Amino acid sequence: MDIQEVLSWTDEQVFAKTGKHLESLQKSILEGVWRHQDYQEIADENQRSYDHVKKEAWKLWKILSDVIGEDVKKSNVCSLLEQAEISNISNYGDCLQIGFGNGNINICGEQPRFPSSLNSGTSQNQSPIINLADAPELTNFYNRTTELSTLKDWIFKEQTRLISIYGLSEIGKSALTLKLIEQINREFDYIIWRSLSNTPTLSSLKTELKEFFAQSQLTPLPTLIDYFRNSHCLVILDDVENLFQSDALAGQYLKIYKDYGKFFKQIARNPHHSCVILLSWEKPREIATLEAENRPAKTLHLKGLGSQAEEICRQKGLTDEEKWPELIDLYQGHPVWLNIIASTIVELFDGSVSLFLADRKDIFVGDLEPIIESQLERLSELEKQASSWLASQNQAVDLSRKLDRREFSKSELWEAIQSLVRRGLVEKIAEEGRSQFLLNPVFKQYIQLHSRSLE
């Protein structure tokens, strides 16, 4: 498709609607978007300021919205220009004939509208193409207003390209992301959820994603980043921890999946209009590097619920409501842990939280063991030693102080604790102006009871 033909046609439609032709800067903005330029690049080429170009672009999208009758944005226009294969454009009086493939579409009248075929199958963000076949079912969702607000700000206000949501197994990462999709889906052209539980190669994943994006386009694009630039895409990659080694520090890739790390860096470093969200038990190392570089990459460490977890106690029919906050705090507000423990309280104490908490000397683990074990199985030997040492401490550890541990050096301990933090097993807290580190109390209890198997 010739951009000059599109510019000429667009100018005619704007003139028919407003009585004014497009200004030269407006044409440059359209042409720049066609060439995947950002506003700064367009500003530099036209010797204008970034703010001026952005302001003129906003005016242009408003004009085109009035002409087309749809909500036009930068991502929509880019998609429109690159996806529509206009094979023949000719005027017949007051009608415009556009040829598509083997047929023609006639648009007549003073306010022509683009045919739906020009909208990438998305009706200008009215009906995004969504594939959530790999997503788990959203059964229960507990209030995560703060986290949802943070994610929306990152995506729309800060235009973050790569987001990592990490946290303990079954803490609610998938539920949070599904709720996010529910609230923002109309802001995207494409949304796809893919689980990495079967550990596909990067090549096969890219091929699958490209096929998904290309299904509504007449001309396939060469690379995945081209699709990210051409449309507003949201990609969720779940179970990312399957790419990482067990028995190694957090976020270290298995040899055959090291190219994923380069791919994630490419997503953050290359300009485009899309967002990729990674869901993982562990924080990928690339994210820390990208954040240090001030790249558009963010990390959300998803922790347990606060008072919202009282809904779990209510649903389970627990009694002694005044004790619910203590129970929630004991089990870190983890929704699955609380559901399991609540079932135990019903089974053993007829729902009485007071009776369950009567002896607080030990934290009851019970049916939580399989979940805890699956998390601890991934630890390196160094992390296991550090976890055992942390479990033996009566208070949070200040790493700046001299340590009485001879099994490993201070640098090894720092490395191990940093890795445990990136798994969500150790929490950093502030005490007397110093950062201190505390092992998750449920894991601490388990480790104390099974220390021999971890040593």
Side-chain angles (χ1 to χ4, degrees):
M1 180 173 62
D2 185 353
I3 181 59
Q4 296 305 318
E5 289 182 7
V6 174
L7 286 172
S8 176
W9 181 86
T10 303
D11 183 57
E12 289 175 6
Q13 305 314 308
V14 170
F15 182 77
K17 174 70 175 177
T18 67
K20 297 181 180 179
H21 289 287
L22 290 174
E23 297 176 1
S24 59
L25 179 57
Q26 292 173 330
K27 290 182 179 180
S28 295
I29 290 171
L30 278 177
E31 187 171 359
V33 170
W34 164 261
R35 290 190 283 140
H36 309 301
Q37 290 182 324
D38 57 29
Y39 289 147
Q40 186 61 61
E41 292 171 319
I42 296 171
D44 292 342
E45 279 196 1
N46 290 272
Q47 297 182 329
R48 304 293 181 91
S49 70
Y50 169 85
D51 289 339
H52 182 67
V53 168
K54 188 175 182 180
K55 183 177 179 181
E56 288 303 310
W58 181 84
K59 291 180 181 179
L60 177 60
W61 307 149
K62 189 175 186 301
I63 291 170
L64 294 181
S65 295
D66 292 339
V67 170
I68 298 171
E70 300 285 355
D71 182 20
V72 175
K73 302 176 183 178
K74 185 185 178 206
S75 58
N76 294 354
V77 170
C78 185
S79 176
L80 176 67
L81 296 179
E82 193 140 19
Q83 292 172 17
E85 183 180 357
I86 302 179
S87 59
N88 179 42
I89 299 180
S90 56
N91 288 308
Y92 293 87
D94 293 330
C95 294
L96 176 72
Q97 186 180 70
I98 303 179
F100 277 90
N102 296 324
N104 292 324
I105 297 175
N106 292 299
I107 308 172
C108 303
E110 295 182 357
Q111 300 183 40
R113 293 170 61 90
F114 284 97
S116 59
S117 300
L118 276 172
N119 296 337
S120 314
T122 64
S123 300
Q124 297 287 13
N125 282 1
Q126 296 300 309
S127 301
I129 299 176
I130 301 177
N131 184 334
L132 302 180
D134 276 5
E137 182 182 7
L138 180 59
T139 53
N140 292 309
F141 180 77
Y142 306 101
N143 194 343
R144 294 277 195 178
T145 304
T146 301
E147 292 89 344
L148 286 169
S149 178
T150 296
L151 290 170
K152 285 187 275 191
D153 283 349
W154 287 352
I155 294 171
F156 299 119
K157 291 184 179 180
E158 301 185 33
Q159 298 181 336
T160 304
R161 299 170 193 151
L162 183 64
I163 296 173
S164 172
I165 304 176
Y166 81 99
L168 296 175
S169 170
E170 302 189 73
I171 194 73
K173 300 180 291 293
S174 296
L176 173 66
T177 308
L178 284 167
K179 181 59 66 171
L180 176 70
I181 291 172
E182 183 181 298
Q183 295 183 5
I184 68 172
N185 65 81
R186 293 194 177 275
E187 299 297 323
F188 290 90
D189 300 312
Y190 302 91
I191 299 175
I192 184 169
W193 186 301
R194 278 295 170 261
S195 169
L196 303 185
S197 59
N198 293 325
T199 54
T201 63
L202 179 60
S203 176
S204 63
L205 176 68
K206 283 184 173 181
T207 298
E208 186 178 2
L209 293 177
K210 285 165 63 177
E211 288 175 352
F212 170 70
F213 297 136
Q215 63 182 305
S216 63
Q217 302 187 23
L218 298 173
T219 305
L221 302 179
T223 71
L224 194 55
I225 294 295
D226 287 324
Y227 285 103
F228 288 172
R229 288 171 176 159
N230 190 55
S231 302
H232 204 185
C233 308
L234 178 62
V235 177
I236 297 90
L237 299 181
D238 198 358
D239 305 307
V240 174
E241 70 275 358
N242 287 289
L243 304 176
F244 304 140
Q245 299 180 45
S246 292
D247 303 322
L249 296 176
Q252 291 194 12
Y253 290 92
L254 291 160
K255 186 175 293 187
I256 60 173
Y257 300 119
K258 284 187 176 181
D259 50 355
Y260 270 93
K262 296 179 181 178
F263 174 56
F264 295 152
K265 287 181 180 178
Q266 183 186 23
I267 290 170
R269 289 171 175 167
N270 288 356
H272 56 78
H273 317 296
S274 301
C275 181
V276 175
I277 298 178
L278 310 178
L279 306 184
S280 177
W281 293 5
E282 308 170 17
K283 179 178 178 178
R285 288 189 165 192
E286 287 72 27
I287 299 293
T289 301
L290 292 166
E291 287 175 323
E293 295 174 357
N294 293 320
R295 299 286 183 174
K298 297 285 188 180
T299 300
L300 177 63
H301 178 196
L302 191 63
K303 300 181 181 180
L305 303 166
S307 59
Q308 300 90 343
E310 291 184 2
E311 182 61 26
I312 298 173
C313 302
R314 191 171 291 108
Q315 290 173 353
K316 290 292 186 178
L318 301 186
T319 59
D320 309 316
E321 188 169 345
E322 72 281 0
K323 290 288 187 178
W324 291 359
E326 186 179 347
L327 179 70
I328 292 168
D329 182 65
L330 188 64
Y331 290 95
Q332 305 295 292
H334 192 301
V336 171
W337 292 2
L338 283 169
N339 269 292
I340 292 173
I341 293 301
S343 295
T344 297
I345 295 172
V346 171
E347 186 178 0
L348 299 181
F349 300 100
D350 297 323
S352 173
V353 178
S354 292
L355 291 176
F356 176 76
L357 295 176
D359 183 2
R360 280 291 306 275
K361 190 189 312 182
D362 294 324
I363 299 176
F364 180 74
V365 176
D367 292 337
L368 301 183
E369 284 205 6
I371 299 174
I372 295 171
E373 288 171 355
S374 66
Q375 202 95 35
L376 295 177
E377 284 172 355
R378 299 185 62 85
L379 301 188
S380 65
E381 286 303 316
L382 184 61
E383 288 174 295
K384 291 177 181 178
Q385 292 177 24
S387 297
S388 295
W389 179 72
L390 287 170
S392 69
Q393 303 301 301
N394 295 322
Q395 56 187 10
V397 173
D398 183 347
L399 295 185
S400 66
R401 294 177 179 170
K402 187 175 181 180
L403 304 175
D404 57 352
R405 186 70 177 179
R406 297 182 179 179
E407 285 80 353
F408 38 76
S409 66
K410 178 177 283 190
S411 62
E412 288 175 328
L413 179 62
W414 290 2
E415 190 175 38
I417 289 182
Q418 181 184 50
S419 183
L420 291 168
V421 169
R422 291 178 176 178
R423 296 183 191 275
L425 300 182
V426 167
E427 183 177 358
K428 183 171 73 171
I429 60 176
E431 289 285 346
E432 300 178 353
R434 292 176 176 269
S435 294
Q436 300 188 23
F437 296 87
L438 191 66
L439 184 66
N440 182 296
V442 174
F443 284 91
K444 180 177 181 178
Q445 178 69 35
Y446 179 90
I447 290 171
Q448 287 175 341
L449 293 173
H450 300 79
S451 58
R452 289 183 180 178
S453 64
L454 291 172
E455 291 287 350

